Amino acid sequence: MKSEIQIKNSAGVCRIEIEGTIGVPEEWQFDQPEARVATYEKFRDTVRRIAGIDAPQIVVDIRSTGGDVNDALLIHDALCSLDAHITTRCYGYTASAATIIAQAASPGCREISANALYLIHTAICAAEGNAAEIAGKLDLLRQTDTRIAAVYAARSGRPAGEFEALMAENNGNGRWLSPEEAVAAGLADTVTDNGERTAPSLAGNIARGWERLLAGIGLNRREELPADRNVLLTAGERQELLRRSATAIRQAQQNASPTCTKPREDPSYGDTVRTANQRAYAEDVKRFKGI
């Protein structure tokens, strides 16, 4: 999925939505040069628009598995240059360069969804050339890793070495972190359930339906039902239901018969299968020999 950055202003809050690949990956820059220029110009214009935002509050929604480190740093710096209260919110798979942008939030405002996964790892690049050229690439990769770890450390207040170690796990591929692990590592500040952004749960809808039904017949559930009763059962009834369920499970386990297997009908791989004529010929041989 290519880069997609949307900027929406409304009621004093500017919302920036970052989806797909961050920036312009190198492999796309060799296909159709005219399209490449247009793509890069679009991205550069977006960075300029971010740097020119004039809003007291900015919310950055991030749904991206990463992309170009240089472009992510450009977006990060553009956000940090703004005089605004910035909240970054990570959803789904948030990884690699996308985690750099997430660090541009105001203090305590790096949010991560309870259903997200978070990944940081060492820098990656494609390389070809002679030994000196490849050695230069290695040096650039190491410097990039140092710079990325410094960004994480600056926001967390922890030593950069901690993040370098985390990035280096699994041969530099890092490790997917749960939201709680991301917070514990200093990469995010809070875990959100995003209740205000998601559809109501089935259980919530059922509960609200019962509330309306009881209210319609003049019964206020919260005030008039006994404390040990939910919509359907009392505490005693619930215990009886659990007891009967456990009994039924035990009886089913006792009555269960062992699994029966049928005799093997088809030949296994490698078995010789004789035709009907071959089998008849073998029987004739046996009779002639008096077997």
Side-chain angles (χ1 to χ4, degrees):
M1 182 166 59
K2 291 188 177 182
S3 303
E4 189 61 36
I5 301 177
Q6 300 288 337
I7 301 176
K8 304 174 182 178
N9 278 297
S10 62
V13 177
C14 177
R15 186 177 296 275
I16 303 174
E17 298 181 353
I18 300 178
E19 297 187 348
T21 304
I22 304 298
V24 187
E26 292 181 0
E27 59 267 24
W28 294 348
Q29 297 181 11
F30 296 96
D31 297 329
Q32 301 177 347
E34 64 279 3
R36 175 196 70 205
V37 174
T39 301
Y40 180 74
E41 287 296 331
K42 177 181 177 182
F43 174 77
R44 188 169 63 181
D45 178 65
T46 300
V47 174
R48 281 198 298 262
R49 290 174 60 199
I50 292 174
I53 291 174
D54 183 15
Q57 294 188 45
I58 299 174
V59 176
V60 185
D61 293 331
I62 303 172
R63 306 175 186 87
S64 171
T65 53
D68 189 277
V69 174
N70 178 55
D71 294 334
L73 287 170
L74 289 175
I75 297 174
H76 172 275
D77 292 348
L79 289 169
C80 290
S81 69
L82 301 176
D83 184 18
H85 183 275
I86 300 175
T87 300
T88 57
R89 294 173 176 168
C90 297
Y91 302 97
Y93 286 174
T94 300
S96 192
T99 66
I100 296 174
I101 299 175
Q103 306 306 311
S106 299
C109 296
R110 296 172 300 167
E111 299 180 0
I112 180 171
S113 166
N115 300 314
L117 286 174
Y118 204 93
L119 171 70
I120 65 174
H121 61 82
T122 55
I124 300 171
C125 77
E128 64 176 332
N130 58 38
E133 290 172 322
I134 293 177
K137 288 284 188 178
L138 288 173
D139 184 58
L140 176 59
L141 287 173
R142 294 190 180 100
Q143 290 189 45
T144 301
D145 291 340
T146 300
R147 174 49 42 208
I148 294 172
V151 172
Y152 298 140
R155 285 311 312 274
S156 68
R158 299 185 182 187
E162 291 186 12
F163 300 102
E164 291 177 346
L166 188 58
M167 293 161 61
E169 288 190 17
N170 296 317
N171 294 322
N173 293 312
R175 173 169 55 89
W176 285 100
L177 304 175
S178 69
E180 293 76 15
E181 288 175 323
V183 172
L187 295 165
D189 297 310
T190 57
V191 179
T192 62
D193 59 10
N194 306 311
E196 74 281 1
R197 296 175 53 86
T198 58
S201 66
L202 176 61
N205 283 335
I206 293 174
R208 282 186 288 274
W210 276 104
E211 292 283 359
R212 289 193 295 270
L213 177 61
L214 294 174
I217 61 176
L219 177 61
N220 186 317
R221 173 188 169 193
R222 296 184 186 279
E223 296 179 0
E224 299 187 23
L225 288 179
D228 68 339
R229 186 179 183 88
N230 63 14
V231 173
L232 300 176
L233 303 172
T234 64
E237 290 168 341
R238 288 197 299 275
Q239 291 297 326
E240 177 62 17
L241 179 61
L242 292 174
R243 186 190 66 78
R244 292 183 181 181
S245 298
T247 301
I249 292 173
R250 286 195 298 272
Q251 290 176 347
Q253 292 173 339
Q254 292 172 356
N255 295 334
S257 58
T259 302
C260 297
T261 59
K262 295 181 179 180
R264 180 168 63 88
E265 298 176 353
D266 296 327
S268 301
Y269 176 77
D271 287 359
T272 301
V273 180
R274 296 187 297 176
T275 65
N277 286 337
Q278 289 173 324
R279 291 196 298 273
Y281 178 77
E283 292 297 327
D284 289 342
V285 171
K286 289 181 181 180
R287 284 197 297 272
F288 288 143
K289 291 183 177 181
I291 298 177

